Amino acid sequence: MRDGICPKCLSTEVYSGADIAAKTNSYGMNAVPIRGGIYFSPVTAALDNYVCTSCGYVESYISDPKKLEEIAERWVKVEGSPKKP
Ligand SMILES: [Zn+2]
């Protein structure tokens, strides 16, 4: 999707919202909650969205490597998808 081609309908009508400033709003829609809790304020990761205007498909990416690290530490790993070396 980041190469400008929609993986669902193969259209090249793909638009990026990566530069939208509001994406850093922790409480907006455009973020993934990494962790929350009673004693800590919630931690979120901002998302870069890619939208295909032909079929409406949306893909989202977290661009902050530190957030990705934290997710790998805290989230439950989904097994069954071996990585190629
Ligand atoms: Zn599409």
Side-chain angles (χ1 to χ4, degrees):
M1 192 90 169
R2 283 189 283 196
D3 57 6
I5 298 164
C6 175
K8 300 295 179 188
C9 72
L10 304 180
S11 165
T12 53
E13 290 298 309
V14 174
Y15 294 84
S16 165
D19 295 330
I20 297 173
K23 74 175 185 175
T24 54
N25 178 358
S26 303
Y27 299 98
M29 292 289 289
N30 212 1
V32 165
I34 298 177
R35 61 182 162 94
I38 299 161
Y39 304 108
F40 304 98
S41 27
V43 172
T44 58
L47 292 175
D48 294 341
N49 288 327
Y50 292 78
V51 175
C52 170
T53 57
S54 288
C55 72
Y57 181 68
V58 180
E59 259 185 27
S60 300
Y61 296 88
I62 295 169
S63 53
D64 185 341
K66 285 192 174 137
K67 301 285 187 183
L68 294 174
E69 235 174 69
E70 186 166 0
I71 286 170
E73 279 171 17
R74 292 176 176 275
W75 285 23
V76 176
K77 187 166 185 305
V78 179
E79 301 295 343
S81 49
K83 275 186 185 172
K84 287 174 186 170

